[in-house]
Amino acid sequence: MPGARPKTRDADATRARILAAAKEEFARLGLGGARVDEIAEKAQANKRMIYHYFGSKENLFRIVLEEAWLDIRNAEQELELDHLPPEAALETLVRFTWNYYLDNPEFITLVNSANLHRGRHLEGSERLRTASRRFVNMVRDILDRGVAAGVFRPGIDPVQLNITIAAIGYYYLTNRHTGAILFERDFMTPQALAERLAFNIETVMRLVRA
Amino acid sequence: MPGARPKTRDADATRARILAAAKEEFARLGLGGARVDEIAEKAQANKRMIYHYFGSKENLFRIVLEEAWLDIRNAEQELELDHLPPEAALETLVRFTWNYYLDNPEFITLVNSANLHRGRHLEGSERLRTASRRFVNMVRDILDRGVAAGVFRPGIDPVQLNITIAAIGYYYLTNRHTGAILFERDFMTPQALAERLAFNIETVMRLVRA
DNA sequence: CTTCAAAGTAACCAACCAGTGCGTTATGCA
DNA sequence: TGCATAACGCACTGGTTGGTTACTTTGAAG
């Protein structure tokens, strides 16, 4: 929940409250479903302020998206995977990705919304491209070290591996509602979550092992 | 594109045109973004006919979703995987799933929309549950035959395997727009698609092999 | 032919919604 | 203290949207 409005005027705080409320609403209802009035109310701000700080609903969406992505890329960097042996580094990345999706469920729905709109709102974000390049290099480094140590097979594309690591967690969580109906099981019990994580680690390890 | 309006009155054809147009619009813009007037125009029908046949926008969405799921479940059955040896059956399923997503891109966005609304529109569809049960049994049978033949390891949960097979294709395609921006490569060239399919087959085979 | 239910249409409505015009209030600085 | 600037708020609009009312047309059974 965005915090309460401060007594005195504070541009940064108001901007931040709007951003937090927008993230919630866009994640819950998508770009088309979210209401600017609702965002303003949740942020304890006036709708006029949204247009003052962000210009348009679409631009607000754009900034929410960019922030969300920069957040996960920063968190990945803080894992310092280059300090771990390759197998431990990869398993840590799989666990981290899974837990990040669990702890930040709005990230997944925001990404879905962005893609429904064909990625239009992320085009031209140089900050994001830079962060992503660093991330891919980190995974490439893990793979290279694993090959050198003889524990990973050579020739694996780090981008394909990244996509797979994200996919096996992301899909399970984003499609948990229809999954629960089709497969007649609760996807979100602690046991179900633990089983899925173990399955995913096994999948990735078998994929890379020499 | 839904066909042109027939000369004479034809309730079934009108209903079908509305359904086809709705599928397109819901897939393109989501439940909230789709416009009933637009669906009526695309279907060459009057908006009132939508309410006559389907009662409400939400109910129209519900039926579009159910049809889309039944379509893929039926197509899977037609593969007759029980006539193939276990390894060939599994690879065929991975290829089929991938190609189905490629040939029916609206399926993916419909599923995303359904999950944004927490699966609410699929609740209580007994037809769908029956079809899904048969599908899971089919995969379980492939796994069992593979274990008996000594080519697959035992203890694999067919539901987890299903989820993974869907995930590694689905995620790549649904997130191809943001992926293209982040990873600075075109996800949809024939070569990129062939590489991803090969990677996915490798992933699944390594996951199940004894 | 007649009849009548179903198919089809146009015009409408109340609610809603992104965006704005314009005025007010607080704050930092000279 | 006075002033420029930025933060903030209210009330409105022009256009849109899901859904409805009241009506005409069609086809087929008897």
Side-chain angles (χ1 to χ4, degrees):
Chain A
M1 304 305 125
R5 175 168 28 193
K7 277 86 191 143
T8 72
R9 292 185 170 196
D10 186 337
D12 287 350
T14 302
R15 217 189 102 102
R17 283 203 318 280
I18 291 172
L19 225 37
K23 190 180 196 174
E24 244 185 76
E25 285 298 287
F26 285 137
R28 202 162 57 88
L29 301 161
L31 171 58
R35 300 294 163 228
V36 176
D37 285 288
E38 190 67 28
I39 292 171
E41 196 177 344
K42 270 205 178 176
Q44 304 235 52
N46 191 277
K47 181 164 62 160
R48 199 72 188 76
M49 291 295 94
I50 292 178
Y51 288 92
H52 180 64
Y53 288 121
F54 300 99
S56 71
K57 186 187 184 186
E58 291 237 339
N59 198 54
L60 176 58
F61 184 63
R62 183 171 281 118
I63 290 170
V64 165
L65 272 183
E66 200 189 36
E67 296 258 306
W69 229 297
L70 287 172
D71 282 350
I72 188 173
R73 290 284 108 98
N74 284 335
E76 281 156 356
Q77 284 305 313
E78 285 168 15
L79 293 173
E80 303 193 36
L81 297 182
D82 46 333
H83 294 177
L84 288 173
E87 284 180 295
L90 197 55
E91 182 175 325
T92 301
L93 180 59
V94 175
R95 284 183 188 281
F96 167 81
T97 304
W98 173 257
N99 287 323
Y100 191 89
Y101 292 162
L102 268 181
D103 295 341
N104 303 275
E106 76 287 352
F107 178 75
I108 287 183
T109 29
L110 286 173
V111 172
N112 277 340
S113 283
N115 279 288
L116 179 62
H117 297 282
R118 314 179 74 85
R120 179 162 44 97
H121 303 90
L122 276 185
E123 280 166 10
S125 169
E126 192 49 53
R127 293 166 73 202
L128 210 49
R129 267 198 296 272
T130 305
S132 294
R133 256 178 241 139
R134 195 173 45 172
F135 174 59
V136 172
N137 286 336
M138 186 178 79
V139 177
R140 195 194 327 270
D141 180 61
I142 296 172
L143 285 171
D144 288 348
R145 288 193 291 125
V147 172
V151 291
F152 293 167
R153 65 192 170 96
I156 296 175
D157 178 353
V159 171
Q160 297 286 5
L161 180 61
N162 274 336
I163 293 171
T164 295
I165 290 172
I168 56 185
Y170 187 105
Y171 179 92
Y172 181 94
L173 293 171
T174 193
N175 289 340
R176 65 186 187 276
H177 300 109
T178 51
I181 291 165
L182 295 171
F183 297 123
E184 301 172 282
R185 58 165 80 172
D186 188 340
F187 274 44
M188 295 303 279
T189 65
Q191 198 195 335
L193 293 173
E195 272 173 22
R196 182 64 193 175
L197 175 56
F199 193 89
N200 286 348
I201 291 171
E202 181 77 19
T203 301
V204 171
M205 288 307 164
R206 282 179 164 260
L207 174 58
V208 297
R209 228 142 17 208
Chain B
M1 305 300 129
R5 175 170 26 193
K7 277 88 192 139
T8 72
R9 293 185 169 196
D10 186 337
D12 287 348
T14 302
R15 215 188 104 102
R17 284 203 316 280
I18 291 173
L19 223 39
K23 190 182 199 175
E24 245 184 77
E25 285 299 288
F26 285 137
R28 202 161 58 88
L29 301 161
L31 172 58
R35 301 295 164 226
V36 176
D37 285 288
E38 191 66 28
I39 292 171
E41 195 176 344
K42 269 203 179 179
Q44 304 235 51
N46 191 279
K47 182 165 63 156
R48 193 63 188 82
M49 290 294 95
I50 292 177
Y51 289 92
H52 182 249
Y53 289 121
F54 300 99
S56 71
K57 185 186 183 185
E58 292 236 338
N59 199 55
L60 176 58
F61 184 64
R62 183 171 281 117
I63 291 170
V64 164
L65 273 183
E66 200 188 36
E67 296 257 306
W69 272 111
L70 287 173
D71 282 350
I72 189 173
R73 289 290 172 252
N74 283 334
E76 282 155 356
Q77 284 305 313
E78 285 169 14
L79 293 174
E80 304 194 37
L81 297 182
D82 46 334
H83 293 177
L84 288 173
E87 284 181 295
L90 198 54
E91 183 177 325
T92 300
L93 180 59
V94 175
R95 283 181 189 280
F96 167 81
T97 304
W98 173 257
N99 286 322
Y100 191 88
Y101 293 161
L102 269 181
D103 295 341
N104 303 275
E106 76 286 353
F107 178 76
I108 287 183
T109 28
L110 286 173
V111 172
N112 276 341
S113 283
N115 279 287
L116 179 62
H117 298 282
R118 315 178 75 85
R120 179 161 45 94
H121 303 90
L122 276 185
E123 279 166 11
S125 169
E126 193 49 53
R127 294 165 73 201
L128 211 49
R129 268 199 294 272
T130 305
S132 293
R133 255 178 243 140
R134 194 173 46 171
F135 173 60
V136 172
N137 286 335
M138 188 179 78
V139 176
R140 194 193 328 273
D141 179 61
I142 295 172
L143 285 171
D144 287 349
R145 288 193 291 126
V147 172
V151 292
F152 293 167
R153 66 193 170 95
I156 296 175
D157 178 352
V159 171
Q160 298 286 6
L161 180 61
N162 273 334
I163 293 170
T164 294
I165 290 172
I168 56 185
Y170 186 105
Y171 179 91
Y172 180 95
L173 293 172
T174 193
N175 289 341
R176 66 187 187 275
H177 300 110
T178 53
I181 291 165
L182 295 171
F183 297 122
E184 301 171 285
R185 58 165 81 172
D186 188 339
F187 275 43
M188 296 303 277
T189 64
Q191 198 194 335
L193 293 173
E195 273 173 23
R196 182 64 192 174
L197 175 57
F199 193 89
N200 286 348
I201 291 170
E202 183 77 19
T203 302
V204 172
M205 287 307 162
R206 282 179 165 262
L207 174 58
V208 297
R209 257 200 283 262

